Amino acid sequence: MDQNLQVMGTVAQNGSPHEFEEQSLFSLELGTQKMQPGHISEYGSAPGGFQPGVSKMWRNVVYKSIKTVIFSNKLNVLIPFGPLAILVHILTGHNGLVFLLSLLGIIPLAERLGYATEQLAVYTGPTIGGLLNATFGNATELIIAIYALRHGMIRVVQLSLLGSILSNMLLVLGCAFFCGGLVFYRKEQVFNKATATVNSGLLLMAVMGLLFPAVLHYTHTEVHYGKSELALSRFSSCIMLGVYAAYLFFQLKTQKDPYIPLSEEGSQNGENDNDDDETPEISKWESVFWLSIMTAWISILSEYLVDAIEGTSHTWNIPISFIGVILLPIVGNAAEHAGAIMFAMKDKLDISLGVAIGSSTQISMFGIPFCVVIGWIMGQPMDLNFKLFETATLFITVIVVAFFLQEGSSNYFKGLMLILCYVIVAASFFVHEDPPPEGKP
């Protein structure tokens, strides 16, 4: 009894029983640490101020990040072709080989750029994530275009941007429809028709912006020959950039969540795909870091790629128009290709549509006008006259895709038709010779 009273008195003086127990445990830990001179505390610090625990933690984070981003994808076996292209350029200067190696080296970088963007999109939400996917998915094309513009290769810029639009609308969207249709062959996949209609309208407006300078040029109705066409292109580019800014405001502020119908459709199918997609594999700052690394490496390889285009055209006897419209965009759209097909096979067709058509919209309403303005700043006469053959090809493509999207549903047969349309376009540019500049034979 006296012992119990004594314990109660001690507790009353020092605090609650839990506090008494914690103090005892803490004293025991301190005693243990004193008995072990080399012991490292839970804060990771040793007597000499060295912090091996923190250092080991950072090493683990770096190792895990590199393993996840670099070694988890089989396509990354192509990454060494990038440094090899630089080495071949320095040692031999063989344009065809440098172009091929640069092209192969950019493919995994473009895909990993898309991967890092998707990881970052998990933290930003679906709407901003869709815009990030479209923006960084087109980063490769824009980087190549700016390097070509700096070298005065205006036709390469025009052809590569045009090819990016055609590739996204026909090849990427066609593969998404086709693969998704094969997986869900018993039903038609549906998507948000209203969002597709808005994007189709923007694409038609972009065609109008490209059509008038070409018509003005080929009808010889310019008020000031050689100047009105360029002035109209720059004016139209500023208008298109303003419309694209308004579209971003409309999508981010007015349309709260364009992917809500997709979630409802997924729940109706009884599939719970959100568990896999909402868990990022790398952190937000890791995503930003890898985006910076991949963008910088793509920029370096793009310069070697652009320098080798003309030499490759002569060496391989391939028209520059085919290289610009077909080969370059296929590499640049690797991220869109992988992402759109993956989402379509998960019955997330709204996101596939946002990646494919969203990228085409961004290139046509932002990428092309942006290059016109950048060329204006650089003193390069970049305009919206993409020549008659190219403009007609874009116009017909937009009409065909808009017709396919008007029902708000897709199947593998629609995807197959879009893919075959792209094959026809590729064959057309393979036999199409770009007309020489005026004044030259």
Side-chain angles (χ1 to χ4, degrees), residues 126-136 244 247-248 251-252 362:
T127 304
I128 298 179
L131 293 173
L132 285 173
N133 269 306
T135 301
F136 282 99
Y244 185 73
Y247 165 69
L248 292 182
Q251 194 174 25
L252 293 175
Q362 191 177 65

Side-chain angles (χ1 to χ4, degrees), residues 237-440:
S237 296
C238 294
I239 297 296
M240 292 163 71
L241 289 173
V243 171
Y244 185 73
Y247 165 69
L248 292 182
F249 179 82
F250 171 77
Q251 194 174 25
L252 293 175
K253 298 296 182 180
T254 307
Q255 300 292 315
K256 290 297 183 182
D257 197 347
Y259 302 121
I260 286 178
L262 170 67
S263 301
E264 294 175 353
E265 183 68 21
S267 61
Q268 291 174 1
N269 293 337
E271 297 176 3
N272 188 11
D273 295 326
N274 293 332
D275 295 339
D276 297 334
D277 297 326
E278 293 300 324
T279 304
E281 297 181 4
I282 56 178
S283 68
K284 179 171 62 176
W285 293 111
E286 287 178 86
S287 303
V288 173
F289 171 78
W290 285 111
L291 280 174
S292 304
I293 293 295
M294 297 301 172
T295 304
W297 189 223
I298 289 173
S299 301
I300 295 172
L301 287 183
S302 297
E303 187 168 6
Y304 290 94
L305 187 71
V306 169
D307 288 340
I309 286 178
E310 291 185 352
T312 303
S313 176
H314 294 296
T315 303
W316 293 354
N317 197 22
I318 296 177
I320 290 183
S321 58
F322 182 82
I323 294 176
V325 176
I326 304 301
L327 295 183
L328 294 182
I330 286 179
V331 173
N333 291 334
E336 285 95 333
H337 234 118
I341 293 174
M342 178 188 68
F343 287 124
M345 294 177 69
K346 293 181 178 180
D347 202 18
K348 297 188 173 186
L349 207 58
D350 278 280
I351 302 182
S352 296
L353 205 70
V355 171
I357 301 299
S359 293
S360 299
T361 303
Q362 191 177 65
I363 285 291
S364 59
M365 294 298 294
F366 173 76
I368 293 176
F370 177 74
C371 287
V372 172
V373 174
I374 291 296
W376 191 0
I377 295 173
M378 291 181 177
Q380 298 287 351
M382 169 75 183
D383 57 21
L384 297 179
N385 178 15
F386 277 43
K387 308 304 180 186
L388 194 59
F389 183 84
E390 289 81 359
T391 306
T393 303
L394 179 62
F395 177 70
I396 295 171
T397 299
V398 171
I399 295 297
V400 169
V401 173
F403 181 77
F404 274 47
L405 298 179
Q406 66 177 355
E407 294 181 355
S409 63
S410 75
N411 51 55
Y412 70 90
F413 183 65
K414 288 184 178 181
L416 180 62
M417 285 192 288
L418 288 175
I419 294 173
L420 293 179
C421 286
Y422 186 75
V423 172
I424 294 174
V425 169
S428 301
F429 277 98
F430 189 77
V431 298
H432 169 66
E433 184 178 4
D434 200 44
E438 294 186 2
K440 292 184 179 181

Side-chain angles (χ1 to χ4, degrees), residues 116-133:
T117 306
E118 291 170 7
Q119 295 296 306
L120 186 60
V122 176
Y123 300 96
T124 59
T127 304
I128 298 179
L131 293 173
L132 285 173
N133 269 306

Side-chain angles (χ1 to χ4, degrees), residues 76-95:
N76 288 344
V77 297
L78 298 177
I79 288 181
F81 284 106
L84 187 60
I86 299 175
L87 187 63
V88 170
H89 173 79
I90 295 174
L91 296 179
T92 66
H94 190 281
N95 288 321

